Amino acid sequence: MHTEQEPFPRVALVTGASGAIGKAIATRIAATPGYAVVLLCRDAHKAQSTLAEIERQTCNSQLRYELVDLAHRCSIDALAERWTGPLHVLMNNAATTPRQRTETPEGVELQLATNVLGYFRMIMAFRDRLAEGAPARVVNVASYWAGGLDLGDLEFKRRRYDNDAAYRQSKQADRMLTVAFAQRLSEAEITVNACHPGDVSSNLSRSLGFGGHERPEQAAVTPAWLATEDLGGRETGQYFEHQRSVPCRFGADLAAVEALYEACERYG
């Protein structure tokens, strides 16, 4: 833990920061000298409590929170409009997995809106801020629990909705979008990588019917490592588990990667 701050810290933005893994990631980054951390949360009470807890644990006074609903494009756009200064790390972590099929007010299935379009829209909204902070990084918290993506039925309008199937699809999409954005942002000196954090007992894992054998602090290691250590600034378009690059068959299908990117673009 540290008490001294650099005069011009690197700024890291962590989505889903009040959840079990998000809070652990934000804490680990905040404990790294030279980082200011912005917590993205939906609930003000949870945001305030999380911020106070991280500040106590890390003695980092350069923390703040923003209230954002990542399932809503207008909420992301409003955050980007009020943001000032560069951004150095975007940690896309927020996710949801409701047991019943749910739609946002815009009529988009909630897992797609949050877990996939939320990542896509955050990168698009902050790409200029990341370029301003270059060399910069995007870390997409994905999962080894991925697969089953149907480009013709992203919202489970034809298939029977199953929250596990929708979650696995969304995590496959996050790994594929990592490759798409890595290609597009390389010239701006922005790396984009994905990772599996770990198996933690959380609201999300319990909604999927799983437990979890790892502590949040363990799950935070690989995401925070990609955000702060040298390798995360050198490698791009990779998928990591336990701080090691793992071949990703989803990202290797470049035609499907581009088709998914274009589908996300159509949502705006």
Side-chain angles (χ1 to χ4, degrees), residues 49-253:
S49 174
T50 300
L51 187 148
E53 182 178 343
I54 295 174
E55 191 170 46
R56 283 196 304 271
Q57 291 185 21
T58 65
C59 297
N60 186 336
S61 61
Q62 298 194 64
L63 307 173
R64 65 183 177 90
Y65 70 84
E66 294 279 354
L67 297 180
V68 178
D69 188 337
L70 294 168
H72 297 263
R73 181 180 60 190
C74 60
S75 186
I76 292 173
D77 290 344
L79 171 66
E81 287 176 9
R82 66 179 181 265
W83 187 277
T84 58
L87 178 63
H88 304 90
V89 176
L90 169 58
M91 179 70 64
N92 277 319
N93 164 73
T96 188
T97 178
R99 292 182 182 273
Q100 303 298 322
R101 188 183 184 281
T102 306
E103 292 187 354
T104 69
E106 291 104 341
V108 180
E109 188 275 315
L110 188 58
Q111 285 210 62
L112 177 71
T114 305
N115 304 3
V116 181
L117 297 180
Y119 283 34
F120 183 90
R121 290 166 173 167
M122 283 295 295
I123 297 171
M124 294 295 285
F126 281 90
R127 61 192 304 171
D128 289 344
R129 295 300 188 186
L130 288 162
E132 185 181 343
R137 310 176 187 194
V138 176
V139 181
N140 292 326
V141 177
S143 180
Y144 74 91
W145 193 243
L149 183 140
D150 185 342
L151 284 166
D153 188 26
L154 291 172
E155 297 190 51
F156 286 81
K157 291 182 177 180
R158 295 199 299 269
R159 292 175 288 170
R160 182 184 66 83
Y161 176 83
D162 174 83
N163 72 325
D164 180 68
Y167 180 78
R168 292 184 68 240
Q169 170 176 273
S170 74
K171 294 295 101 179
Q172 176 181 340
D174 291 338
R175 286 162 61 170
M176 293 166 70
L177 288 174
T178 295
V179 173
F181 277 109
Q183 295 170 342
R184 287 166 170 82
L185 299 180
S186 61
E187 290 188 3
E189 295 185 82
I190 303 167
T191 61
V192 188
N193 290 295
C195 66
H196 169 66
D199 296 318
V200 172
S201 180
S202 63
N203 289 335
L204 187 144
S205 67
R206 288 188 288 273
S207 291
L208 291 170
F210 299 113
H213 64 280
E214 293 179 277
R215 292 179 291 107
E217 293 77 14
Q218 293 173 293
V221 170
T222 298
W225 170 73
L226 286 171
T228 61
E229 296 298 325
D230 290 344
L231 183 138
R234 295 195 308 268
E235 298 293 328
T236 193
Q238 303 297 309
Y239 168 67
F240 291 83
E241 296 177 3
H242 307 294
Q243 295 179 282
R244 293 186 178 182
S245 178
V246 175
C248 178
R249 61 187 176 91
F250 307 124
D253 187 345

Side-chain angles (χ1 to χ4, degrees), residues 26-43:
T27 301
R28 195 171 184 92
I29 296 174
T32 304
Y35 281 85
V37 181
V38 181
L39 315 175
L40 257 63
C41 308
R42 287 187 302 169
D43 179 88

